[in-house]
Amino acid sequence: MKFKFTAALWSPPRVLAIGFALIILLGASLLSLPSVSADGQPMRFIDALFTATSAVCVTGLVVADTGTFFNAGGQLIILALIQVGGLGFMTMATLFALVFKRRITLRERLILQEAMNQTSMEGIVRLIRRVIIYSLSIEAAGTAVLTARFAAEMPLGRAAFMGLFHAVSLFNSAGFDLFGNYRSYTPYVSDPVVNITAILLVALGGLGFIVISDLLEFRKRRRLSLHSKVVLATSGALFGIGAVVIFIFEFTNALAPLGWDGKIWASLFQSAAPRSIGVNTLDIGSLRQATQFFLILLMFIGAAPGSTGGGIKVTTFTTLVGAVIAMMRGKDEVVLFRYRLARERIFKALTITMISLAVVVAVTMVLCTTEDRAFLRILFETVSAFGTCGLSTGITPQLTDFGKLLLSLTMFAGRIGPLTFAYALRPKDEKELFRYPEGRIIIG
């Protein structure tokens, strides 16, 4: 009886939720120390908790300007929280276990399977090794390029730190920056080096490690998995459609002062930004409401499973679209790239979407009551928090303490995933010993 209680209490979803919560509390405690602020004044704990949650959940929403409020020590703490949050604390724990040659237990493999959103434990440790190698290699390459670019404007030491911070932040879809005064990447709206590097880092982080592994082994295997095909096709389509929509909607508005090269780069960058990146080269608050609402839709969809991004995930979105098309065509099965999807996959996609919608609607309604802000701006911040995106219309620093706490919980739920969050809260499973008779209701 005691073993059953312990096994239920420390189920993989609960371990993930508790682990992330403990890291957030540790980060909040460190960020509230006076020694990490630029002026020596300690940050209020509620603000430190919000910042730590945003970093660990790789979101990017901030209540204090990272580049001016924190000194180098505080910025290093945020960088460490981003790295742990992006890769996942179990991945980091596995890294230390591999370094010290400690055996990975069965329970740890189960937790890793849950953390990486895998259907099987087979090859999970090998996958973790690849995740670590890919991540560090991509971050190192991004750091080198950004350091070389920033070295033209500042001393080499500062350029190296800026390059490292922003490469890690971009790849992990964190959205933090050190440019100061909440400017994000607006000074580089027409800079091809910064734009290309940022978009590539975001794309690689948002595709997921399974897709990256598939692409690297393509020359040997000569085929891609169905998962990789769906992620690449959907991500490419959303990126292209997003850039065109933003270019059209903002051509005479936010893009008007820019030249043709700036218009194109800004449209591409803002199309990549809702994939959970959280940085921008255009002032989000100045965009048309139609553009802001379109960005909300992209943020809600998010990135790919097993990636550093959030949202309901592109595979969930594609599965639902496939189900709608199949129903309209009178088909009984959802087929993608000549593969039939199991019904449990469709039910899971529907469950994730409905839970996500419920969270977004509930949080938005509460914030509309407690915060004196326009509805669309509140909805934008809510979806940005839940999708761990970090794009903001600028109202986050002015939220009440209750609003900050609620958005912190929203970021937390979005990071560990709505389904995992629900599993972590539910009671122990009990096997049903009977089935109810089938009934019929009228739909539509």
Side-chain angles (χ1 to χ4, degrees):
M1 182 65 68
K2 184 177 180 181
F3 171 79
K4 290 183 179 180
F5 172 77
T6 304
L9 180 64
W10 297 105
S11 63
R14 288 183 180 175
V15 170
L16 288 176
I18 293 172
F20 272 110
L22 291 176
I23 294 172
I24 289 171
L25 290 176
L26 174 62
S29 301
L30 294 175
L31 292 176
S32 62
L33 296 175
S35 58
V36 302
S37 65
D39 59 3
Q41 297 297 318
M43 174 179 266
R44 297 170 61 233
F45 185 77
I46 186 67
D47 292 336
L49 179 66
F50 187 96
T51 304
T53 304
S54 184
V56 173
C57 298
V58 290
T59 304
L61 290 175
V62 294
V63 292
D65 186 65
T66 311
T68 56
F69 184 88
F70 295 102
N71 57 24
Q75 293 166 0
L76 280 173
I77 292 173
I78 292 175
L79 181 63
L81 294 176
I82 290 171
Q83 187 70 85
V84 173
L87 293 181
F89 77 95
M90 279 305 301
T91 303
M92 300 300 294
T94 304
L95 171 61
F96 286 109
L98 293 175
V99 169
F100 292 104
K101 298 182 179 180
R102 187 178 68 82
R103 182 175 174 271
I104 309 298
T105 66
L106 176 61
R107 175 160 292 278
E108 290 169 338
R109 291 171 189 265
L110 285 170
I111 298 172
L112 286 170
Q113 176 189 340
E114 181 73 26
M116 298 304 295
N117 201 19
Q118 296 296 292
T119 57
S120 170
M121 285 191 301
E122 183 180 357
I124 191 67
V125 176
R126 184 166 62 253
L127 174 62
I128 295 300
R129 287 197 184 99
R130 291 178 178 177
V131 167
I132 296 170
I133 293 173
Y134 296 161
S135 300
L136 296 181
S137 300
I138 293 170
E139 289 173 354
T143 299
V145 175
L146 291 177
T147 297
R149 173 61 186 87
F150 294 146
E153 304 174 355
M154 58 191 74
L156 183 59
R158 177 63 178 170
F161 181 73
M162 291 280 285
L164 173 64
F165 187 97
H166 291 97
V168 173
S169 179
L170 288 166
F171 176 71
N172 289 285
S173 306
F176 284 82
D177 69 85
L178 302 180
F179 298 117
N181 300 318
Y182 300 103
R183 294 181 300 167
S184 193
Y185 284 68
T186 53
Y188 301 96
V189 62
S190 301
D191 191 303
V193 175
V194 173
N195 276 273
I196 292 174
T197 305
I199 290 174
L200 286 176
L201 287 171
V202 172
L204 292 172
L207 288 176
F209 302 107
I210 302 170
V211 178
I212 295 176
S213 179
D214 256 10
L215 291 174
L216 291 176
E217 295 181 358
F218 179 75
R219 292 182 61 183
K220 180 172 63 177
R221 299 171 57 186
R222 289 296 175 184
R223 65 183 180 87
L224 293 174
S225 66
L226 174 62
H227 172 81
S228 296
K229 291 179 181 178
V230 171
V231 169
L232 291 171
T234 308
S235 300
L238 291 175
F239 178 68
I241 294 172
V244 172
V245 170
I246 293 170
F247 184 85
I248 294 173
F249 283 7
E250 297 299 323
F251 188 82
T252 58
N253 186 41
L255 298 177
L258 305 175
W260 278 99
D261 58 337
K263 286 181 170 64
I264 294 174
W265 286 124
S267 299
L268 293 173
F269 195 99
Q270 262 59 230
S271 180
R275 301 293 308 284
S276 206
I277 175 179
V279 295
N280 49 279
T281 57
L282 296 176
D283 180 13
I284 300 299
S286 67
L287 300 180
R288 288 194 168 101
Q289 289 189 353
T291 308
Q292 292 178 358
F293 188 74
F294 180 73
L295 294 179
I296 288 174
L297 298 178
L298 293 180
M299 289 191 295
F300 187 74
I301 295 172
S307 71
T308 56
I312 63 171
K313 304 298 190 293
V314 293
T315 48
T316 302
F317 173 72
T318 304
T319 300
L320 293 179
V321 172
V324 171
I325 294 175
M327 177 63 69
M328 293 176 63
R329 297 177 60 186
K331 303 294 184 180
D332 294 330
E333 297 176 339
V334 177
V335 178
L336 300 175
F337 293 98
R338 298 183 179 180
Y339 283 93
R340 171 178 53 85
L341 296 186
R343 288 187 178 273
E344 65 179 45
R345 300 287 95 187
I346 302 171
F347 282 130
K348 185 175 182 179
L350 181 61
T351 302
I352 290 173
T353 304
M354 292 306 296
I355 292 176
S356 302
L357 280 174
V359 171
V360 168
V361 169
V363 173
T364 302
M365 289 176 64
V366 173
L367 289 180
C368 283
T369 304
T370 62
E371 313 296 323
D372 185 20
R373 302 290 172 182
F375 168 76
L376 188 62
R377 288 177 177 260
I378 291 177
L379 177 63
F380 194 99
E381 305 294 309
T382 301
V383 177
S384 180
F386 181 78
T388 67
C389 178
L391 288 178
S392 175
T393 58
I395 68 171
T396 300
Q398 287 79 45
L399 293 176
T400 62
D401 288 348
F402 177 81
K404 294 173 184 177
L405 181 60
L406 186 57
L407 275 192
S408 296
L409 292 174
T410 306
M411 288 187 285
F412 182 74
R415 177 62 184 95
I416 66 175
L419 208 55
T420 301
F421 189 67
Y423 286 162
L425 296 178
R426 73 177 179 180
K428 184 171 74 71
D429 288 334
E430 294 184 3
K431 186 177 181 181
E432 294 186 355
L433 302 179
F434 61 92
R435 295 179 66 189
Y436 291 99
E438 181 178 335
R440 293 180 180 273
I441 61 174
I442 300 174
I443 302 295

